[in-house]
Amino acid sequence: MAAIDPSVASAKAGANFTLLMPGWYPFTVLGYEWGQHAGSDKLGPCAKVTVMIQVDGTVQGTSDEKVTFFYDTDMLWKAGTFMKSLGFEKMENGEYPLDWDAAVGRMGWVRVDTRSWVGKDGVKRDGNDLKRFLPVDEVGHMGPDDEAPAKAAQPSQSAQAATEAAVRSAIRNAHPDVPGYQRPRL
């Protein structure tokens, strides 16, 4: 099983965070770990899988993020959408395989927005909010949105060229249906 090594995951989670501008970005699955959800007001007790992904913000940097999928009949569609974004095909029963071992090392695309909240200590914080996962052929716009926050610095022409080259490379490596696809090494 290709589960996340807890010592590596905790180091990566704290050390590799970048607040990304809202937009569509490629991501790579780093690993996963199984757990149990104890239950809440909105969801009963069930198994869960926490997936560690690395979002490539190109010139902005990378950010390691955790995504949790609950094994509840009303919530499994989210895991299927995630697997679809990684290029998995539907099975005969019309559902996507939830093969987490095969997902490690694969790439997909995620919609990132900014989420703000006030912590228990009263300090306002911002984080990346992973809104939606899609396969590369369904993503209409890649990279940061045009309506970037006013405080964000505009990248230079060389940085924009580097971003475009990185996006082209990510597209080429993200999905087998894209011409020039290169299978990732596992």
Side-chain angles (χ1 to χ4, degrees):
M1 183 173 283
I4 298 171
D5 177 357
S7 60
V8 174
S10 61
K12 285 185 177 182
N16 192 19
F17 171 76
T18 302
L19 183 62
L20 301 172
M21 293 189 302
W24 285 98
Y25 297 98
F27 71 89
T28 304
V29 178
L30 301 176
Y32 68 95
E33 63 186 358
W34 286 100
Q36 185 67 29
H37 176 65
S40 65
D41 293 340
K42 296 181 180 181
L43 186 65
C46 61
K48 68 178 181 177
V49 63
T50 302
V51 181
M52 175 72 81
I53 66 172
Q54 185 173 69
V55 180
D56 183 3
T58 60
V59 295
Q60 298 174 73
T62 61
S63 186
D64 291 345
E65 304 286 339
K66 290 183 179 182
V67 184
T68 302
F69 298 102
F70 298 98
Y71 272 67
D72 179 81
T73 53
D74 292 336
M75 301 298 289
L76 276 178
W77 66 271
K78 288 184 179 185
T81 301
F82 181 78
M83 291 303 197
K84 178 182 177 185
S85 77
L86 297 174
F88 284 95
E89 297 292 326
K90 281 186 180 180
M91 299 181 300
E92 289 181 14
N93 66 2
E95 296 179 3
Y96 289 93
L98 301 181
D99 186 350
W100 301 107
D101 287 333
V104 174
R106 285 191 148 195
M107 294 178 67
W109 287 82
V110 62
R111 170 69 193 182
V112 177
D113 285 333
T114 302
R115 182 173 66 95
S116 299
W117 71 94
V118 177
K120 292 180 182 179
D121 57 1
V123 177
K124 181 182 179 232
R125 292 184 170 80
D126 293 326
N128 296 321
D129 189 11
L130 309 179
K131 299 296 270 184
R132 190 168 179 201
F133 296 95
L134 285 178
V136 68
D137 58 341
E138 293 183 26
V139 176
H141 168 78
M142 293 167 241
D145 291 340
D146 292 334
E147 301 89 31
K151 64 181 179 183
Q154 294 299 322
S156 65
Q157 285 185 325
S158 61
Q160 286 177 334
T163 299
E164 291 171 6
V167 168
R168 282 192 301 275
S169 174
I171 291 170
R172 196 172 41 253
N173 295 325
H175 200 277
D177 293 340
V178 175
Y181 171 74
Q182 299 169 359
R183 186 167 190 236
R185 289 187 233 162
L186 302 176

